[in-house]
Amino acid sequence: MSTVHQRPSLWYAVPAFGFFGLFAALPMVLVLYLSLTSWQGLETPAFLGLENWSRLLTDPAARESLGLTVLFTALAWAVQTPVALLIGVWSAGRQRNRAVLGSVFFIPLLLSTAAIALLWQSLLNPNFGLPQAVSAFSLPQFLGDPRLALYTVVFVVSWQYIPFHALLYQGATRAIPTTMYDAAIIDGASRFSRFRLITLPQLRYTIVTSSILMVVGSLTTFDTVLILTGGGPGTATRIAPLYMYDTGFVGFEMGYASTIAVLLLVFGTTVSLIMMRVTRFREMRSQQEGQ
């Protein structure tokens, strides 16, 4: 057997396992333990058993926040996926104008989440923002109307993360063998047919990867909502991560907040595993020529 195909020693993975254990596994174990306790942040946690979990099942505020989280995640995925896919495929071209416009479009990737949230909060402010500047058009209060607030947050989050996912699609599109397009052109395939029959199938694993990142990212989105709306108006945008924050750091119920955190972890992991199972992501094979 050639040494080229021999796997490296497991010792190479020790730093990665150590990093994962220290910064991922250990905090998860501690949060799981805190979910079984009553703790206000200073005193010693008091063990409660499953009392927090029983409370979670009968908490109407928790059910409402989880419902908003599912709606927020679905909307974010439905908006970001087609837009990022089209921009990524378009910007994969080698033309100079596409490179220039693509560089401009990716600017949101350079901005912090707090800066983006403050920027859009100022732009949408009804007193001195865009609605005031074009008051003749009587624009609605995007952040003050309970019917529009969640959709506005989805728009801002999508504006921030679409460039990242477009970058994934751009790289994956450039990795598609050009011989496939050459053969399709010889066969007389139109541009749309080449996109539908070659580009989309070749990008299926990238779509799955991007979708999982979107779902996990949506389930952990917190700072954008906190700065933009604080969960309001009322509870119109109080998604589960924000409810967890309010419970833990405003109500000082760290034990119950840990229960919500564990629920989000289980929900996100379950959704990701289902997506991988349904899409047969684990059976992924290289799409490169000669491999």
Side-chain angles (χ1 to χ4, degrees):
M1 180 181 293
S2 172
T3 57
V4 175
H5 299 293
Q6 289 181 352
R7 293 185 175 183
S9 170
L10 286 177
W11 287 107
Y12 285 89
V14 169
F17 282 124
F19 187 86
F20 179 81
L22 184 61
F23 295 103
L26 180 60
M28 285 190 287
V29 172
L30 293 177
V31 169
L32 179 61
Y33 169 71
L34 288 177
S35 71
L36 304 174
T37 67
S38 173
W39 186 44
Q40 295 182 350
L42 294 177
E43 78 285 4
T44 302
F47 189 75
L48 294 178
L50 298 177
E51 187 173 319
N52 285 331
W53 288 94
S54 300
R55 175 184 170 185
L56 183 63
L57 293 176
T58 58
D59 185 355
R63 287 200 298 270
E64 181 189 20
S65 64
L66 286 174
L68 287 174
T69 302
V70 173
L71 177 61
F72 174 80
T73 302
L75 290 173
W77 179 85
V79 172
Q80 293 181 55
T81 297
V83 177
L85 174 62
L86 293 176
I87 292 177
V89 171
W90 176 82
S91 61
R94 304 293 181 180
Q95 295 86 345
R96 182 173 299 178
N97 63 330
R98 299 191 184 194
V100 173
L101 291 175
S103 301
V104 173
F105 184 77
F106 293 138
I107 285 178
L109 287 176
L110 305 177
L111 304 178
S112 69
T113 300
I116 290 174
L118 289 172
L119 169 68
W120 281 103
Q121 186 189 47
S122 300
L123 280 174
L124 299 176
N125 190 296
N127 297 316
F128 53 82
L130 188 62
Q132 177 65 26
V134 292
S135 56
F137 295 97
S138 300
L139 293 180
Q141 295 189 24
F142 294 100
L143 296 176
D145 189 335
R147 297 168 299 178
L148 300 177
L150 185 66
Y151 301 104
T152 305
V153 173
V154 170
F155 169 79
V156 173
V157 171
S158 299
W159 184 86
Q160 178 183 2
Y161 289 108
I162 280 177
F164 170 74
H165 294 283
L167 202 60
L168 296 180
Y169 289 120
Q170 183 193 54
T173 303
R174 286 181 174 175
I176 298 175
T178 57
T179 52
M180 300 178 72
Y181 292 106
D182 295 337
I185 292 173
I186 293 174
D187 291 339
S190 64
R191 186 183 296 272
F192 177 74
S193 297
R194 297 197 296 272
F195 173 77
R196 183 173 62 88
L197 299 175
I198 297 177
T199 305
L200 275 182
Q202 292 295 315
L203 292 180
R204 61 186 181 278
Y205 297 124
T206 306
I207 294 173
V208 176
T209 302
S210 173
S211 298
I212 292 175
L213 291 175
M214 287 179 191
V215 170
V216 174
S218 298
L219 290 176
T220 57
T221 295
F222 158 74
D223 38 8
T224 304
V225 184
L226 177 67
I227 295 173
L228 274 178
T229 65
T235 57
T237 59
R238 192 174 65 177
I239 56 178
L242 189 60
Y243 182 55
M244 176 185 65
Y245 169 82
D246 288 341
T247 303
F249 294 97
V250 179
F252 295 103
E253 295 183 273
M254 299 295 183
Y256 188 52
S258 300
T259 307
I260 301 172
V262 173
L263 178 65
L264 282 174
L265 173 65
V266 172
F267 182 70
T269 304
T270 303
V271 172
S272 300
L273 290 176
I274 290 175
M275 292 176 66
M276 294 178 67
R277 180 79 175 182
V278 171
T279 58
R280 298 182 178 179
F281 185 78
R282 298 181 64 179
E283 300 174 9
M284 181 176 63
R285 295 291 184 269
S286 174
Q287 301 169 54
Q288 297 295 310
E289 290 178 293
Q291 296 186 18

